[in-house]
Amino acid sequence: MKKVLRSVAILLLLAACNSVTKQAPKEQRPNIIVILLDDAGYVDFGFMGSEDLETPNIDALAKSGTVFTDAHVSATVCAPSRAGLITGIYQQRFGFEANGTGDAQSGDLGLADDVTTMAEVLKEGGYTTIALGKWHLGGTPTDHPNQRGFDEFYGFLTGSRSYFPLENPNEYRMLQHNGKRIAFEGYMTDVLGDASVRYVKENKDSPFFMYLAYNAVHTPMHAKEEHLKKYEGHPRKELAAMTWSLDENIGRLQQELKSLGIAENTLIFFLSDNGGAHNNQSSSGPLKGWKGSKFEGGHRIPFVVSWPKKIEGGGMFGGLTSSLDIFATAVAAAAIPLEELPELDGVDLMPFLIGEKKGNPHKQLFWRKLEETAARSGDHKLIRLDDFGHVLYDLNKDLGETQDLSKERPEELNAILQKLESWEHTLLEPLWVEGRDWMDVTYHVHKQLMTNDTIYYKSPGGMKGYLEKQKNDDGNN
């Protein structure tokens, strides 16, 4: 029934889209590309201040548009972050709260059947829709990208896999084209880069939407041999080599857009799906925490919007922004009326980018994954850990989140707690959870970060080793 309702909603959108596209010639509507990286560190690009990782093409992309300095994703881990981006609403509203796409009790649930994706809206609005790379939004037939609005899918369903060919991959790890396995040679980042160039060539004469989801720089830390040699002796050799490959392929895509004469009218969003991971050599710079934590290092991300025809290059924007805004911004740019869409949590960023609006696109943002929750209101940031307590920070004065102000500023604390409570009343209970071992690890990490104390383990394996050592030490005393 939910699937039927979603189909009816999309048909109604189609009628609205058709009336608009008749008025707006196709050549005036931009191509739209979302370049989504995986577990990239906040400062691991030249335009973000990195001095040891080389990213000349990504830096050029940033220079061609606007760099956002207070941008965030809606989750601190891969799958729910992608669910929020692709739907434009908080993924907790449809129960997609934990990482993965289901557990042993629930099975593979993935995206709810009644939510609408950005690809569905753009496809009905006359765009060719292409998904490349990592999906991680469900592996069942109803959640295959071809069933969620994408004309083309060239990628893999799982959240992580080798960057090199696998001998006998299962249906989740195999590289596929619209469900059919593709045997490939070489390096996955190059394979996806090749596909991005190929699809741009094939669709240069009509508007297209490309969701280019690289698995770089997620583990495993696989890099090409020649790039490992290039960075021999580098303290972050594997990450430097992987990032160089990523930059090369993003550069190839930029060059193809220019060669075809469509770069000026191509709207590009560039971001990471969450903060850098603790195990991929990434750096959060001045931010506290990393992937999986509700501190800034988990969800504040490098974010660029480029559309040379509309947005002046070299800009900086400091307003509070979310990856949820990509949906609204893209469909508005495609001349699809936002009022015809289901209610979105994201907003259209274009009025802020061209000077029609000033200030913050969002007054508040929220994050929740099972036992850990955070809320942002103005400069104030709250982090709550179930059965432990909460902390309050003033990010304007304390970006590193070290000084708990919860006792000093009770009015601010109560105000943000009320906003958080109101938001939580709109959510579904999580449809699945994560393994207890990972939940215990993230609980420990949050507790230690909240008290500015030592973190003793960052993974289930590390927790097991630490607890065994503690047991042995106690037995010897």
Side-chain angles (χ1 to χ4, degrees):
M1 182 63 179
K2 288 181 178 179
K3 189 100 175 180
V4 172
L5 291 174
R6 182 165 64 90
S7 299
V8 171
I10 294 172
L11 287 173
L12 293 174
L13 277 172
L14 175 59
C17 295
N18 283 342
S19 66
V20 172
T21 52
K22 286 177 183 177
Q23 301 171 22
K26 284 186 175 181
E27 61 270 14
Q28 294 180 8
R29 303 166 71 208
N31 304 304
I32 300 167
I33 300 176
V34 174
I35 302 176
L36 183 64
L37 308 189
D38 202 344
D39 292 2
Y42 182 65
V43 295
D44 284 340
F45 307 92
F47 77 93
M48 293 298 292
S50 177
E51 296 181 354
D52 67 328
L53 299 183
E54 297 179 283
T55 56
N57 293 303
I58 294 172
D59 296 344
L61 174 62
K63 189 175 181 179
S64 73
T66 296
V67 176
F68 290 69
T69 60
D70 198 359
H72 305 262
V73 284
S74 63
T76 65
V77 288
C78 301
S81 174
R82 292 157 193 266
L85 189 159
I86 206 74
T87 63
I89 62 177
Y90 283 108
Q91 62 280 354
Q92 298 94 337
R93 295 197 192 281
F94 49 93
F96 202 133
E97 184 166 324
N99 203 14
T101 57
D103 58 21
Q105 285 70 44
S106 69
D108 189 352
L109 295 178
L111 287 173
D113 287 345
D114 59 341
V115 295
T116 301
T117 72
M118 175 170 29
E120 289 171 323
V121 173
L122 290 170
K123 180 177 179 177
E124 298 296 349
Y127 276 68
T128 299
T129 54
I130 305 144
L132 305 177
K134 173 176 169 175
W135 181 239
H136 207 200
L137 289 172
T140 61
T142 59
D143 275 328
H144 191 278
N146 293 137
Q147 299 302 315
R148 302 312 297 252
F150 288 101
D151 298 304
E152 301 283 351
F153 174 56
Y154 191 91
F156 50 91
L157 298 174
T158 191
S160 176
R161 56 148 290 155
S162 172
Y163 287 75
F164 298 104
L166 297 169
E167 187 173 344
N168 292 301
N170 60 29
E171 62 179 311
Y172 301 103
R173 285 189 167 84
M174 71 181 186
L175 178 66
Q176 61 165 280
H177 177 221
N178 297 341
K180 182 178 179 180
R181 182 189 172 189
I182 299 295
F184 74 95
E185 296 181 358
Y187 185 59
M188 180 62 75
T189 302
D190 291 338
V191 171
L192 298 178
D194 290 342
S196 72
V197 170
R198 182 170 68 249
Y199 279 110
V200 163
K201 287 181 180 178
E202 292 176 1
N203 295 282
K204 60 182 174 62
D205 296 323
S206 59
F208 62 83
F209 165 53
M210 178 182 291
Y211 174 70
L212 176 54
Y214 283 102
N215 54 318
V217 289
H218 195 292
T219 56
M221 302 303 287
H222 291 170
K224 294 164 68 173
E225 196 61 39
E226 60 265 36
H227 293 158
L228 290 172
K229 290 180 180 177
K230 171 180 171 65
Y231 291 103
E232 190 66 44
H234 193 289
R236 300 195 286 169
K237 180 174 72 171
E238 290 79 12
L239 180 62
M242 294 170 75
T243 302
W244 181 255
S245 287
L246 188 63
D247 188 80
E248 280 188 328
N249 283 284
I250 291 174
R252 291 174 55 220
L253 174 61
Q254 292 171 275
Q255 185 55 49
E256 189 63 34
L257 293 169
K258 292 176 182 176
S259 297
L260 295 171
I262 58 175
E264 287 290 308
N265 199 31
T266 296
L267 170 59
I268 299 178
F269 302 90
F270 172 90
L271 71 162
S272 177
D273 65 344
N274 44 247
H278 74 87
N279 60 348
N280 74 340
Q281 304 175 352
S282 59
S283 173
S284 298
L287 307 182
K288 191 174 186 177
W290 53 84
K291 174 184 179 179
S293 81
K294 297 300 175 287
F295 288 81
E296 293 294 288
H299 54 77
R300 187 184 285 240
I301 45 95
F303 184 48
V304 172
V305 179
S306 172
W307 186 5
K309 184 177 179 179
K310 295 285 187 178
I311 304 171
E312 187 176 350
M316 302 281 284
F317 182 73
L320 185 59
T321 309
S322 172
S323 57
L324 299 172
D325 303 331
I326 291 174
F327 189 134
T329 306
V331 297
I336 297 172
L338 289 176
E339 60 268 20
E340 303 292 343
L341 296 173
E343 187 174 352
L344 299 175
D345 289 312
V347 301
D348 179 11
L349 295 175
M350 282 305 300
F352 297 91
L353 292 172
I354 61 177
E356 292 180 355
K357 290 185 178 180
K358 298 186 182 299
N360 292 304
H362 295 269
K363 293 182 179 179
Q364 57 258 331
L365 291 175
F366 305 99
W367 300 267
R368 191 181 78 179
K369 183 169 76 71
L370 307 176
E371 299 168 330
E372 300 92 29
T373 307
R376 172 80 180 273
S377 179
D379 290 327
H380 286 97
K381 166 86 173 286
L382 171 88
I383 298 176
R384 184 190 72 201
L385 183 62
D386 288 1
D387 300 321
F388 180 72
H390 49 250
V391 289
L392 181 71
Y393 303 109
D394 182 344
L395 296 182
N396 185 48
K397 299 178 180 178
D398 180 26
L399 184 60
E401 297 171 290
T402 61
Q403 301 173 26
D404 177 19
L405 303 175
S406 58
K407 292 182 175 60
E408 297 177 29
R409 301 184 183 179
E411 291 185 3
E412 287 86 349
L413 175 65
N414 290 331
I416 197 168
L417 282 170
Q418 289 176 8
K419 292 173 183 177
L420 175 59
E421 183 178 351
S422 296
W423 175 73
E424 288 188 298
H425 284 156
T426 70
L427 310 180
L428 288 182
E429 287 296 313
L431 295 181
W432 61 88
V433 295
E434 297 176 7
R436 189 64 251 179
D437 55 352
W438 266 115
M439 290 177 68
D440 287 344
V441 168
T442 56
Y443 194 95
H444 165 77
V445 168
H446 281 81
K447 182 178 177 180
Q448 301 305 98
L449 289 176
M450 290 169 74
T451 55
N452 296 321
D453 207 345
T454 303
I455 295 170
Y456 295 105
Y457 46 83
K458 302 175 183 178
S459 67
M463 178 176 66
K464 182 179 178 181
Y466 174 79
L467 295 178
E468 287 178 352
K469 184 177 184 303
Q470 290 293 100
K471 184 178 179 180
N472 292 335
D473 289 347
D474 291 342
N476 293 330
N477 292 331

